[in-house]
Amino acid sequence: MPTMMVAIFLTMLAALSFAWARQKDATWVAAGLCLLLTALLFLWEVWSPVDGFRMPWIDTRLERIETKAQA
């Protein structure tokens, strides 16, 4: 997704440029858009057609942790 990374970089650059030009409202809009694009890219990268958003390599169930500790 290099085009998505370019879009994120450009919105971050726009936010910094607006901040330098002291345009407060445009800075907040560009920074918010940058954060939104970053979150969307993260979700796109994490999602799997097999598991969905489930991450099987992260086991958070306590009973599993206790049985592993006893073994």
Side-chain angles (χ1 to χ4, degrees), residues 8 12 16 33 35 37 42 59 64:
I8 291 170
M12 187 184 321
L16 290 171
L33 186 60
L35 289 173
L37 289 174
F42 172 76
D59 193 9
R64 275 254 170 115

Side-chain angles (χ1 to χ4, degrees), residues 25-60:
D25 293 336
T27 300
W28 284 111
V29 169
L33 186 60
C34 180
L35 289 173
L36 176 69
L37 289 174
T38 304
L40 290 174
L41 179 62
F42 172 76
L43 292 175
W44 175 263
E45 293 290 337
V46 168
W47 184 78
S48 163
V50 175
D51 295 319
F53 287 110
R54 198 178 119 254
M55 297 178 204
W57 60 89
I58 299 175
D59 193 9
T60 58

Side-chain angles (χ1 to χ4, degrees), residues 1-14 34 37 41:
M1 307 260 343
T3 55
M4 186 65 145
M5 289 301 296
V6 169
I8 291 170
F9 177 76
L10 289 177
T11 55
M12 187 184 321
L13 183 63
C34 180
L37 289 174
L41 179 62

